Structures are given as structure tokens and as C-alpha cells.
Amino acid sequence: MGTDWETAMVEVVLQVRGMGCAACVPRVQRAIAGVDGVLQCGVNLATEQATVQVTDSQVLPRLLAAIATAGYGAEPVLTPGVPDGEPVSCPPTLLVGGAVSLLLLVGGLPMMTGLPMPSWFPHWLHHPYVQLVLTLPMQFWVGAPFYAGAWRALGQRTATMDTLVALGTSVAFFYSLLPTFVPEWFTAQGLGTDVYYEISAVVLTLILLGKTLERRARQQTTAALRHLLDLHPKTAQRLCPEGTEEIPLAAVVVGDRLLVRPGTKIPVDGVAISGRSAVDEAMVTGEAMPVLKEAGDEVVGGTINQTGSLVIEATRVGENTFLAQMMRLVAQAQGSKAPIQDVADRITAWFVPMVLLVAIAALGLWLVWHGSVAHALMALVGVLIIACPCALGLATPTSVMVGMGRGATLGVLIKGAEVLQRASDLDWIVLDKTGTLTEGRPRVTEVRVLDERLSAAELLGAIASLEHHSEHPIAMAVRHFVAARGIPLQPVTEFAAIAGSGVTGCVAGRRFHGGTARWFGELGLVCPDVPAADKTTLWIACDGQVVGLLQLDDPLKPDAADTLRTLRAMGLTPVLLTGDHRLVAEVIARQVGIDHIYAEMRPDQKLAVIAQLQAAGHRVAMVGDGINDAPALAQADVGIALGTGTDVAIAASDITLLRGDLPGIVTALQLARATLGNIRQNLFLSFIYNVLGIPIAAGILYPLTGWLLHPIVAGAAMALSSVSVVLNALRLQKMTPKLKRL
């Protein structure tokens, strides 16, 4: 959450109190959207949080006031996506309700079963006055939140689940008062003197039980964010003239020097100043083996220092740390809305009014057709109680939350629910070569000087001086190769990097170029044929003449072939898209089984290829890691960036693979399909529950079976409907990617 209220644009997350069902969500959204300065807002029923983007630095009080006017409470939260408060415990009202309901059920057995009871049976529990006394605290204490919610909805000229519950239980309770106090009149009218207090009490108890179980289950949907939150240590050991002092993590500032002892977590992102230790970075890289850290190495907050002491200098603190950024991305993604949810939203908007009409119709039909007040009452209360808009409202967000959280634990960051839906429906996948299919750590295997006026040392010194200003993997390979031979670098002027082509600049008064044969052809430079054309060739020119070349080898990643095999088995057509020489691309493609190859592509040409595939009707994913991949990543239906790549590529992508491994592609796409499948299951469960449950409660089966759904059974079904949706979503926590191996 943004906390600087003086900035031009702020994102604030609010915990909203009092939302009882999906019908409350649009009311809260309308209240927020009506505040001046609100740019965008989203309300998540699963976390009961609202995410609001605003421009006005004074908007927070107005936001809170608007939500209060709508009948709800709200307050800012520090951890988006993680509901505030302690773990859900059993409320006193549920304990009392359970005890009273049990007594009322026992007392109602003679009426409900129609069977004679033995002499030891406590018949006094069936007395109307006893049942009334037992039900009074249930109706007006246990049921108070439902009455309050119904009253708020009435004030807003709308209706919610609280309205249905309050109406249904009130009908059963207040109807029972008549035969309790004027039984003679009921008998004179030919009506039974049965009372239905147990319906009101038991239904309230069952719904309260269902809401408690639902909230407990919903807390599990935020397990991934809570795990990330737990990775943060609470304090840090700051070095000071007197030694060390323990300070809260929030007090650490950039530049502080911190002591990290063995067995403790590194508090913030930083650089090791002294010491030597093995650090467990599994949460970032997924690698089980610890990584050796010594002076000059970067460390990530939340990773575990294992063997030795380190002194680090803080470089990123607070919301700028890797862990905080990851939490923010996951929270934003979990709070986003999938397009498939629009169907449920449209139905929810009309749900409660339609249920009220069906309930009234059922009451009237039973009175006219059957003439039974008892049956009419049972149908009315049953319809009001069994209807559950909550299941519809929770169907999508709970699956999204669990799916996004599971992705975070597997090293996959998905930037929104809409991305999940698009990623589940892909049919082509385009992959970059260098750093994606290959290790991205090329090795110089040959140096060839084509102009005897230059020595190998001069050639290498010049090209390494140019590549010193580039972040491309080939540049890194050249720098390492030259540094290992002790050749000094020289100053460079007029440097320029041409994405997808190469680099140029002046070294010692001479203009050098280093890049691809295609680029040299565009410059009018002729590159001679060379052997070993299946390797990457870096051509070098000096003052308009081709003077040498370097050949490099970049091995495939170990899981490349298995990953491509799995993607094909998933129905995806793979494409290799690279700026490298075609012969090099063909060798790589043969090794991993790719038939479609686009080689010697500039960034704009890569984008054009993606657009061409989309124009042909394909749904395309692009996988890359470099700056030259950024336009194609942005153009694709789903851009997938390796977390080991450049910040530009990651920013342009929809999915980031934190661990930079190819199986992460399979993980992301299988997770997307599993999550969307889970959403569809939840929507089906909630739709079928209401489509079947409401007519059955109204008595549609009575002509065939002579059986009418008891309101207590309706209450139990209603209580379990939302729980079943959440429990089904929680199955995604066990989702495991499957890689197809030989």
C-alpha cells in the first residue's frame, strides 16, 4: 500500500467490515467510485479488502466516510491480500446457538417425526412457551448481525443475503407467536397449532457455523502471502561505534551496515561488505544448494544465512526490497478480477430480488393449490434460506487467490487474473534462444583476425571495451574471455547499442563495430564465409572494414527438451524466434524439436512475427529475457519473462519466472489452466446449487414424491455451499506441475 499521501498518485488498500455476501461488493464499489479523486477501485469479497487508486492526497477520509454512508466500516491495512485480525475462532454466539438448537431440535422431534415419544422423553421441551424463551436470545442476539445487515441494505434500497436470512427466520419466529398465544383462534380457523421456533434457531446456527467455517477456509487462501510475510525478520543488528544494536526492521535505512549471524535471516536487500558464508536462496532461485557469499556479492532480504557471519550494507529497504515487491505483485494479482467473473457479477446483481419473488410466488401457490399454511410457510422460508449469493461471489476470487499464491510458492509471478484466463487458452508459444532455451552464458570458442594490421590483443581489447557498456550475454562472454587474458580495456566515445544488431563506438580514435552479419550487410560490410557456422558469430569491423570475428557456443539448458516436449503435449505449437544466425537457430531447434524458426530478427521484426501469428487467429505467448524481447513480450497475448533477465523484459511481461528455469513455463501454463478449470468448477457448483436448490425448496418435487424440503435442511445446505466453493479452491494449493520426460 502506498503510504505517502503527498504523492500525485497513491494506491490504498482498505479492510472493509460488514460485507456479508457478493451483493455487498457492488454497493461498496459504487460508494468508493463516487468519491472525487478515485481513479480505479476493486473490491475482493474473499479478503474483504478494497484496492483503490487515487490522485487526491486528502481522499482517504472521504473514502472512509463514503463507505460508512453505505453502511460498512473500513480502515487502511498494511499488508494487501492478507486479511487483518487473529485466526478465526468459534464465536460465543455459535456456542450458545448450538446448545439452544440442540434443545429445540429435541423438543421438536414429536412434531417433525410424527412418532410417539417414550415416557422418559422431555416433553416439556416441546411446550411453546419453553421454545419461545429458548428462541428469543437466538432471534435477537445470534441473529442481530443479520438484522443489522438487512437494515443497512434497506437503507440503501437494496437487498443482500442478510435480507434473505432475516426474512426467513423472522417469518418462522413471528408466525410461531400466533399459535403460542392464541391457539384457540388457530384451531377455530382449521389451522394447526404447530410452532416453528426450531427452524429459526437452527437455521441461524447453521448459517453462523457455515460463515465461521468459510472464514477459516478463506484464511487458508492467503497462506502464500502469509508465508512471504513470515520470511521477513522482525529486527536487524545494526553496527554502531559501541558494537551492535538491535533495531526494528522498519528503522533500517539505506546505507546502514548490518551484522547477520549464522542461522538468521538476512533482514534487507544489500551487498556483503565483509565475511564469508553460505546463504540459502531457495525462496528466490528454487535451488536447494546454498550459495557462497563474500565481499561484493548481493544478498536478498529473507534468505537464510547458514554457516558464517556477514556484514552487509543495506541497499533496498521497506517496500523496495525484493520480498516486498514480490508480496505487492502477488497481492495485486490476487485482488484482480478475471473476465469470467462478469457472468457471476451480472447474476448477483439480480439474485436477491429474484429470490424474493420466487419465495412470494411459492407462498401464494401453496396457499392456493394445497391450502396448507404449514406447507406454504415451509416453502417460503426454505426458498429464502437456501438461496446463497455468497457461493457465486466467492467462486472466482477464491480460486484466483489460491492459484496466484500457489504460483508464488512455485516461483511464478502472474500479474493479474485476466492474465490467468488468457494463459489458459493459448495455442502457440514463441521462445527466444539466448538466455531462454540456452544457458545465456556463451563462451568464446575461437578468435579469428582477418586483417594483419591488427593483433589479436588489439582486436580483443577494442571489442571488449565496447562490450563493457552492454548487458547482452554475448557482451558478458567477451568481457570474461578478455579479462582472463589480462588485456586492458580502453576508453570509448560515441558509444551506441543497436538492439538486436550490435554495438559501435570509437576506441583509440578508430570506429569499431561489433555485431551480426545481417547488420553488417545493412552497413554495406561484406562478411566472408566461415566454418562452424552452427555457432554464434560476433563480427568485428574497424573503420569500415571487417577485421575479425569471435565464435561463441551457448549450450542448451538441461530441461529445454523436456519442457518443449511437455508444451507440445499440452497442445501448444512452439516457435523459435532469435536474432542469431539461421544455422545456429536450426541446430538449437533440432535439439528441442521446434519446426517453426524465425532467425536474424531485430526487435521490431520479432514484434511483427507475434502480430502476424495473432492476425492468423492464434493465441500467442512469448518467452524471453532480453531488452530486445521487450516489444514482442508486450505484443503477445501473454508475455513470459525469465526472472534472471533484464528489468525491461520483466516489466513488459505478464508472467515472471523468478527462478529463470524453463520448466517454470510449464508450471505457469499448467497453473493457469488448473486455476481457470477450478473457477469453472466453482461457478458450476454455485450455479447448480441455486438452480436446483431454490426450486426444490419451493416444492417442485412435491407432486412426485410428496416430500417438501425442510427449512433446517435448506439452512444446512446454504451454510455448506460457500464452504464447498472455498474448499474446492483450496485444492489448488496441492497443484504440482508435470514435466513430460523421456
Side-chain angles (χ1 to χ4, degrees):
M1 182 189 74
T3 56
D4 182 3
W5 289 94
E6 299 304 317
T7 56
M9 178 174 172
V10 180
E11 180 176 275
V12 60
V13 180
L14 303 174
Q15 193 76 36
V16 182
R17 310 292 183 189
M19 289 199 300
C21 69
C24 296
V25 172
R27 292 173 56 198
V28 176
Q29 285 180 324
R30 285 195 298 269
I32 293 172
V35 177
D36 290 339
V38 171
L39 298 174
Q40 189 175 0
C41 72
V43 179
N44 190 322
L45 178 63
T47 58
E48 297 178 327
Q49 290 183 354
T51 304
V52 191
Q53 291 183 352
V54 297
T55 57
D56 188 347
S57 62
Q58 302 300 317
V59 77
L60 180 58
R62 298 203 303 272
L63 277 177
L64 301 180
I67 294 172
T69 302
Y72 302 90
E75 59 189 24
V77 296
L78 297 176
T79 311
V82 180
D84 286 353
E86 298 297 323
V88 177
S89 58
C90 184
T93 49
L94 181 57
L95 295 175
V96 173
V100 172
S101 296
L102 181 60
L103 292 174
L104 288 169
L105 281 173
V106 171
L109 283 176
M111 183 191 72
M112 289 187 289
T113 63
L115 300 174
M117 294 292 115
S119 58
W120 50 263
F121 183 82
H123 291 278
W124 58 272
L125 282 175
H126 187 53
H127 195 284
Y129 288 135
V130 173
Q131 292 202 336
L132 172 60
V133 170
L134 289 172
T135 307
L136 275 172
M138 291 292 302
Q139 192 69 34
F140 300 106
W141 179 49
V142 176
F146 300 105
Y147 279 113
W151 182 255
R152 284 197 304 266
L154 183 62
Q156 296 292 316
R157 299 178 182 177
T158 184
T160 66
M161 187 195 76
D162 290 334
T163 307
L164 300 180
V165 174
L167 279 175
T169 57
S170 295
V171 167
F173 177 81
F174 288 106
Y175 174 86
S176 299
L177 291 177
L178 297 176
T180 299
F181 292 107
V182 287
E184 299 82 4
W185 182 85
F186 262 63
T187 302
Q189 300 299 317
L191 302 174
T193 57
D194 292 331
V195 294
Y196 301 96
Y197 292 117
E198 77 281 353
I199 290 178
S200 172
V202 176
V203 164
L204 285 171
T205 301
L206 288 172
I207 293 174
L208 191 59
L209 173 63
K211 290 177 78 69
T212 302
L213 294 175
E214 176 196 323
R215 288 183 67 84
R216 283 188 175 181
R218 276 158 56 180
Q219 278 197 338
Q220 296 180 42
T221 65
T222 60
L225 273 180
R226 292 184 184 276
H227 172 68
L228 291 176
L229 192 61
D230 291 341
L231 290 175
H232 276 297
K234 306 302 182 203
T235 60
Q237 299 291 326
R238 182 166 62 188
L239 294 179
C240 58
E242 296 79 19
T244 61
E245 58 177 345
E246 187 173 24
I247 60 172
L249 190 64
V252 178
V253 298
V254 173
D256 278 351
R257 296 201 169 190
L258 309 172
L259 175 64
V260 186
R261 295 188 173 95
T264 62
K265 293 177 180 177
I266 294 173
V268 295
D269 297 355
V271 177
I273 301 300
S274 64
R276 194 168 186 267
S277 180
V279 175
D280 179 358
E281 292 188 329
M283 73 159 202
V284 179
T285 64
E287 295 295 334
M289 293 298 293
V291 179
L292 181 65
K293 298 290 184 179
E294 49 192 2
D297 291 334
E298 292 187 355
V299 293
V300 177
T303 56
I304 302 171
N305 182 32
Q306 291 191 331
T307 56
S309 292
L310 288 173
V311 174
I312 69 168
E313 181 177 309
T315 56
R316 288 188 296 272
V317 300
E319 293 186 350
N320 296 320
T321 63
F322 170 81
L323 207 54
Q325 291 175 354
M326 196 161 98
M327 285 185 63
R328 186 163 56 250
L329 285 173
V330 175
Q332 288 172 350
Q334 286 184 332
S336 60
K337 178 177 166 182
I340 195 173
Q341 188 177 341
D342 291 339
V343 178
D345 288 348
R346 287 195 294 270
I347 293 176
T348 300
W350 294 94
F351 184 85
V352 176
M354 287 191 298
V355 171
L356 291 172
L357 290 175
V358 172
I360 294 170
L363 174 70
L365 287 173
W366 274 101
L367 289 174
V368 172
W369 171 58
H370 200 271
S372 170
V373 174
H375 284 68
L377 181 68
M378 298 271 277
L380 171 69
V381 177
V383 170
L384 291 173
I385 295 302
I386 201 169
C388 185
C390 279
L392 282 170
L394 291 170
T396 299
T398 49
S399 296
V400 169
M401 287 180 64
V402 180
M404 298 291 191
R406 180 58 178 159
T409 62
L410 294 172
V412 175
L413 287 186
I414 303 171
K415 294 185 179 178
E418 185 179 354
V419 174
L420 265 179
Q421 188 162 337
R422 293 201 308 268
S424 67
D425 197 30
L426 299 168
D427 59 354
W428 282 56
I429 184 163
V430 179
L431 302 103
D432 175 47
K433 181 184 74 69
T434 304
T436 302
L437 287 176
T438 64
E439 291 283 0
R441 294 189 293 270
R443 299 164 299 182
V444 176
T445 58
E446 182 180 354
V447 179
R448 190 177 306 179
V449 180
L450 303 178
D451 190 327
E452 58 187 22
R453 292 174 296 176
L454 284 174
S455 66
E458 290 175 318
L459 185 75
L460 290 172
I463 190 62
S465 299
L466 288 179
E467 299 289 15
H468 181 71
H469 298 272
S470 172
E471 294 183 356
H472 195 279
I474 288 179
M476 295 174 61
V478 172
R479 293 201 302 269
H480 291 158
F481 182 80
V482 172
R485 282 150 183 77
I487 300 173
L489 300 182
Q490 302 177 58
V492 176
T493 59
E494 301 180 25
F495 173 82
I498 293 81
S501 298
V503 293
T504 182
C506 293
V507 180
R510 292 181 290 184
R511 167 67 66 174
F512 281 87
H513 291 77
T516 65
R518 173 191 49 76
W519 185 42
F520 273 35
E522 294 173 358
L523 296 174
L525 302 173
V526 179
C527 299
D529 292 333
V530 296
D534 59 337
K535 294 187 178 181
T536 299
T537 302
L538 174 66
W539 292 94
I540 305 168
C542 177
D543 292 336
Q545 297 292 324
V546 177
V547 294
L549 61 92
L550 305 182
Q551 289 199 320
L552 303 96
D553 185 23
D554 188 9
L556 272 176
K557 289 183 175 177
D559 291 317
D562 290 337
T563 298
L564 269 295
R565 189 178 300 110
T566 306
L567 293 174
R568 289 194 299 272
M570 292 171 63
L572 293 160
T573 301
V575 178
L576 180 60
L577 182 63
T578 178
D580 213 337
H581 194 280
R582 183 169 185 84
L583 292 177
V584 179
E586 288 174 349
V587 170
I588 296 296
R590 281 196 301 271
Q591 292 176 349
V592 296
I594 294 179
D595 297 325
H596 303 275
I597 304 169
Y598 294 86
E600 302 179 42
M601 294 282 110
R602 295 189 305 267
D604 58 322
Q605 293 173 318
K606 289 186 176 184
L607 183 150
V609 169
I610 301 294
Q612 177 185 341
L613 293 173
Q614 291 171 324
H618 298 299
R619 298 171 298 278
V620 185
M622 170 70 192
V623 186
D625 72 328
I627 292 175
N628 59 336
D629 298 321
L633 288 168
Q635 173 66 33
D637 295 284
V638 176
I640 304 176
L642 277 64
T644 51
T646 64
D647 291 341
V648 174
I650 293 172
S653 67
D654 301 300
I655 299 174
T656 301
L657 309 180
L658 293 176
R659 297 167 185 173
D661 60 343
L662 279 175
I665 303 171
V666 173
T667 299
L669 300 185
Q670 288 183 352
L671 178 64
R673 292 184 178 186
T675 303
L676 196 70
N678 194 270
I679 290 173
R680 289 182 174 130
Q681 292 166 7
N682 278 347
L683 288 173
F684 175 79
L685 285 173
S686 54
F687 280 132
I688 203 69
Y689 164 82
N690 286 292
V691 167
L692 296 180
I694 292 175
I696 290 174
I700 195 173
L701 297 180
Y702 186 83
L704 299 175
T705 64
W707 172 76
L708 187 63
L709 186 70
H710 197 283
I712 289 178
V713 179
M718 187 270 199
L720 292 175
S721 61
S722 296
V723 177
S724 65
V725 165
V726 178
L727 291 178
N728 184 57
L730 287 173
R731 294 190 305 111
L732 287 170
Q733 289 181 336
K734 298 181 180 179
M735 180 271 169
T736 303
K738 297 177 177 62
L739 200 63
K740 192 176 182 65
R741 301 183 185 274
L742 282 178

